[in-house]
Amino acid sequence: MPEKTKRSITIAAPPERVMDVIADYDTYPEWVAAAKSVEVLEVGSSGRAHRVRFVLDAGMVKDTYVLEFEWAADGRAVSWELVSGEIQRAQSGSYLLAPQPDGSTLVTYELTVDLTIPMIGLFKRKAERAITDTALNELKKRVEG
């Protein structure tokens, strides 16, 4: 099993506001640089997206893939698994939101990606760290902006 990359950031907003931004897939192309299009394919019983198709263009890495989401009842976590992808064999990830005493939220992002193309572990982990760091920084900018 591939290793998990785990990164965290503090965002100056309550968990509900952060999760609302995470869950608003229709707006991802506005603030996620690599997201060329995002389409909710199926909505779950919670009213949040259950299946979502992403078209990603991150320079040398281009992929179209579908993720299936599970939302925590308390609204403070979401996890996902890859349903299908062009260059990904597997992807699992999660956001965990922890309210802080000052009203901010500690956001922890975990990601594991397994590609169909061979990649040296060191480069794969470096790419995952870059993906998670970029995602957290873009999320922070969107929520706080």
Side-chain angles (χ1 to χ4, degrees), residues 48-99:
R48 299 238 194 228
H50 180 64
R51 280 189 182 219
V52 181
R53 178 185 300 116
F54 295 82
V55 177
L56 206 66
D57 184 348
M60 290 179 54
V61 178
K62 295 175 181 29
D63 195 14
T64 298
Y65 57 96
V66 175
L67 299 178
E68 191 168 277
F69 292 87
E70 298 269 337
W71 301 88
D74 68 2
R76 294 193 177 155
V78 59
S79 60
W80 60 88
E81 295 288 333
L82 181 73
V83 175
S84 63
E86 294 175 352
I87 67 167
Q88 296 179 71
R89 180 175 313 151
Q91 181 187 140
S92 62
S94 66
Y95 280 108
L96 177 62
L97 310 183

Side-chain angles (χ1 to χ4, degrees), residues 118-139:
M119 184 179 276
I120 296 171
L122 176 66
F123 293 124
K124 186 173 129 352
R125 284 187 296 283
K126 186 175 180 180
E128 284 178 354
R129 281 194 302 274
I131 291 166
T132 53
D133 285 347
T134 299
L136 288 171
N137 287 325
E138 287 177 330
L139 176 63

